[in-house]
Amino acid sequence: MFIDFHTHSDRQDPELLNLQTLHVTPELSSEELPTFCSLGLHPWFVEEKSWAESWANLELLGRSPQVIAIGECGLDRLIPLSLEVQITIFQKQIELAEVLQKPLVIHCVRAFAELIELKKKTKPSVPWIIHGFNKKSEVLQQLLRHDFYFSFGAAILSDRSPLHQAIATIPDGKFLLETDDRHDLSVKQIYERVASLRQVSLTTLQAQLLETYYQLTRLS
């Protein structure tokens, strides 16, 4: 079994656990939810004057059994939406994840200091998973000290990726793998690269990540 922890593709494969990420709008209905999904208000797509309707729908849909995680949500310094508004919306999703006891999938761009402070302040009981992580090992080690989890994607396939050392040394149980918006990419390719970097067999990595997935999502 392969797990694609964060994807925008609705792939149907008996050997794949596909966690599809959807951005919540006021119009999204429970009938549109795939078998496994995560739901959130991504800062890229939030309208400052109208996000409350989407938020109300997320509160409702987040309780659906198909929803395994809340997100992606988070902070991004490279977009026009003010960081203050982003933090307000992010905090509401932090609270929802706690109420529902579902892990939080996080998008973070140039706001790791704020992210760490929010985690220290809120003291969450559910896992916080930074998706698409692509920073140097020093940043990863700092985040590990604050008990973050990670999802790694296509960046690991680049020979110049700063992730190689991080992937080789991150403890078991602290990461998963994803394809994100790469519709042309199979998560198996990422598994194969990570298995090589960690010097383990593909079947060993599959078993480890399946166990991690069940631990983080509290499923069995």
Side-chain angles (χ1 to χ4, degrees):
M1 177 70 72
F2 294 96
I3 299 168
D4 193 341
F5 182 71
H6 182 90
T7 177
H8 298 281
S9 299
D10 184 16
R11 294 188 174 99
Q12 302 296 324
D13 185 331
E15 295 187 354
L16 175 66
L17 197 162
N18 199 66
L19 192 65
Q20 188 176 354
T21 296
L22 301 178
H23 172 63
V24 177
T25 64
E27 296 76 27
L28 184 68
S29 68
S30 58
E31 288 76 19
E32 297 176 81
L33 301 182
T35 305
F36 300 103
C37 64
S38 61
L39 301 181
L41 302 185
H42 191 302
W44 286 4
F45 307 112
V46 165
E47 294 290 339
E48 185 170 356
K49 296 181 179 179
S50 61
W51 63 267
E53 291 182 41
S54 295
W55 162 250
N57 202 22
L58 175 57
E59 278 192 297
L60 177 65
L61 294 178
R63 301 178 184 276
S64 305
Q66 304 100 301
V67 178
I68 305 302
I70 300 301
E72 66 188 286
C73 55
L75 307 173
D76 192 326
R77 285 190 176 277
L78 297 184
I79 62 174
L81 188 66
S82 73
L83 197 62
E84 181 181 5
V85 172
Q86 291 185 50
I87 289 173
T88 296
I89 299 170
F90 184 38
Q91 285 178 316
K92 293 180 77 68
Q93 293 177 90
I94 291 170
E95 293 167 5
L96 181 62
E98 285 294 307
V99 169
L100 300 179
Q101 286 294 287
K102 296 181 179 183
L104 195 68
V105 181
I106 297 170
H107 167 97
C108 187
V109 176
R110 298 188 183 180
F112 289 111
E114 290 83 359
L115 185 63
I116 289 170
E117 284 304 310
L118 280 168
K119 194 170 193 295
K120 289 165 64 177
K121 177 182 177 181
T122 57
K123 298 180 173 60
S125 62
V126 300
W128 284 23
I129 305 157
I130 302 175
H131 104 87
F133 187 81
N134 188 25
K135 300 296 179 183
K136 293 181 179 179
S137 184
E138 292 82 1
V139 179
L140 181 136
Q141 293 302 323
Q142 179 188 19
L143 292 164
L144 280 174
R145 289 194 289 272
H146 294 281
D147 200 28
F148 282 92
Y149 296 80
F150 304 86
S151 183
F152 302 111
I156 196 64
L157 300 177
S158 169
D159 291 335
R160 297 182 179 181
S161 173
L163 282 176
H164 291 178
Q165 182 182 359
I167 284 287
T169 58
I170 188 172
D172 293 340
K174 297 299 291 188
F175 73 97
L176 290 164
L177 301 175
E178 64 175 63
T179 60
D180 197 7
D181 58 357
R182 287 288 301 273
H183 304 296
D184 60 327
L185 186 66
S186 165
V187 77
K188 182 180 178 182
Q189 295 171 256
I190 299 173
Y191 267 76
E192 290 171 342
R193 186 60 177 269
V194 171
S196 175
L197 290 167
R198 290 179 69 79
Q199 298 183 335
V200 299
S201 69
L202 182 59
T203 54
T204 295
L205 182 64
Q206 286 178 283
Q208 290 173 345
L209 297 192
L210 189 62
E211 181 178 357
T212 299
Y213 175 80
Y214 286 143
Q215 287 177 346
L216 294 184
T217 58
R218 305 181 183 187
L219 297 174
S220 59

